[in-house]
Amino acid sequence: MADQKQKPQAETGCPVKHIAFIMDGNGRWAKKRGMPREYGHKFGAEAFKKVMRRCSELGIEAATFYVFSTENWKRPQKEVDSIMKLLDEYLDECQRELEKNDVRFIFLGSKDPFPPSLRRKMEQIEERSRHSKKIVNMALNYGGRDEIVYAANRLLKCGKSKITEADFSSALYTSESPELDMIVRTGGDLRISNFLLWQAAYAELYFTDKLWPDFKEKDVDEAVENFKNRKRRFGGV
Ligand code: FPP
């Protein structure tokens, strides 16, 4: 029995099947250290890797990360370039470690605005990882409204004249993931910022003042513990 107690939650079943993160606060984290914003993103990418691994260890079936929004292109070019560089480096690392991670990567959002080399890497990673079970959704050039319009257009193209909620869900970028259980936002702001608008319908919201680069494995555990105490009624009593 002692041995059973030590089993990671993955084997006992995690109540959170799908968790999403709004990774906010990189810029402020860097500023507090007298460093440029890019420095914060670098440490933000490290936090992303730790959190992603922890979600997988906990047996969470899908974890979605808001990496770059449709609006983030408006940031100063220097900052956009630094995020693209981090992304490029991460995709290389990801390709090297696909077997080790055993995670299915899905990129949410249109890949069109990315340079061809980045697009190719994303497509290769999606293709090569598609048989893995645990999902990591990386929202890149993603906007919730944009996704809803994208889904509506996909359904129109299929020639549907009447659609159901299930049809709509299956036309979204997140169609491969279970229902969203929880959205975690770091950085202290209390808003959704155009993230997973459709999927958020019954998601539990969890806000923390912690800045994203400071968000660690134990913070994921705390969010999951917090979820366990939520009474989910889905509109019922
Ligand atoms: C929000 O913080 C963060 C972003 C818009 C970028 C997220 C990017 C990363 C976590 C790093 C890249 C990750 C990978 C995997 C390549 P902010 O800049 O809005 O911070 P602020 O609110 O303090 O200004």
Side-chain angles (χ1 to χ4, degrees):
M1 288 313 272
D3 141 41
Q4 224 175 26
K5 255 193 193 155
Q6 283 163 7
K7 277 185 180 170
Q9 258 173 308
E11 292 174 48
T12 51
C14 183
V16 179
K17 306 281 177 241
H18 183 180
I19 191 166
F21 297 90
I22 301 179
M23 308 186 281
D24 199 16
N26 293 348
R28 278 166 285 164
W29 187 89
K31 195 169 172 211
K32 270 170 71 177
R33 287 159 179 79
M35 298 298 280
R37 298 177 57 79
E38 295 73 34
Y39 185 77
H41 295 315
K42 184 169 179 300
F43 282 83
E46 293 308 313
F48 157 80
K49 290 182 223 169
K50 286 184 191 147
V51 168
M52 185 192 94
R53 273 195 296 270
R54 187 64 187 146
C55 289
S56 174
E57 284 164 8
L58 290 175
I60 296 174
E61 290 174 25
T64 301
F65 296 86
Y66 207 1
V67 181
F68 196 81
S69 75
T70 43
E71 288 72 35
N72 286 154
W73 297 106
K74 290 186 282 201
R75 292 193 175 204
Q77 195 56 43
K78 182 167 165 260
E79 184 173 346
V80 172
D81 290 346
S82 81
I83 297 177
M84 291 303 132
K85 185 164 176 284
L86 279 172
L87 177 63
D88 195 26
E89 286 166 5
Y90 180 66
L91 295 178
D92 286 341
E93 186 181 324
C94 197
Q95 282 189 315
R96 285 194 301 273
E97 299 193 349
L98 268 190
E99 281 76 22
K100 198 169 95 188
N101 283 333
D102 196 27
V103 159
R104 177 173 182 191
F105 285 90
I106 300 177
F107 299 95
L108 316 184
S110 166
K111 297 181 183 71
D112 291 347
F114 294 98
S117 70
L118 277 190
R119 281 208 308 260
R120 245 189 332 272
K121 286 180 195 179
M122 288 187 229
E123 282 158 5
Q124 281 168 357
I125 290 168
E126 282 183 328
E127 176 56 27
R128 283 184 54 206
S129 70
R130 86 194 143 90
H131 296 299
S132 296
K133 270 187 96 175
K134 291 209 187 96
I135 294 178
V136 168
N137 292 310
M138 291 182 76
L140 281 168
N141 183 41
Y142 174 88
R145 288 184 176 178
D146 184 67
E147 181 184 29
I148 287 171
V149 171
Y150 161 82
N153 280 316
R154 274 184 85 185
L155 293 165
L156 281 175
K157 258 199 201 143
C158 294
K160 289 213 182 246
S161 54
K162 194 162 182 281
I163 58 164
T164 63
E165 288 193 11
D167 290 330
F168 206 87
S169 292
S170 65
L172 294 167
Y173 290 124
T174 52
S175 61
E176 302 289 324
S177 302
E179 276 285 320
L180 182 62
D181 292 311
M182 186 175 223
I183 297 182
V184 173
R185 180 176 188 138
T186 61
D189 283 327
L190 308 180
R191 53 177 172 259
I192 294 284
S193 299
N194 201 17
F195 190 44
L196 302 177
L197 297 181
W198 172 277
Q199 299 85 338
Y202 287 105
E204 297 297 322
L205 305 180
Y206 181 88
F207 298 100
T208 166
D209 288 337
K210 210 163 249 201
L211 303 174
W212 177 254
D214 289 329
F215 197 81
K216 300 274 151 55
E217 292 89 339
K218 73 169 180 35
D219 300 298
V220 181
D221 297 355
E222 272 174 33
V224 169
E225 279 308 308
N226 185 289
F227 179 87
K228 289 181 186 164
N229 297 321
R230 305 278 180 110
K231 300 247 174 320
R232 304 185 84 197
R233 291 189 290 277
F234 299 97
V237 286

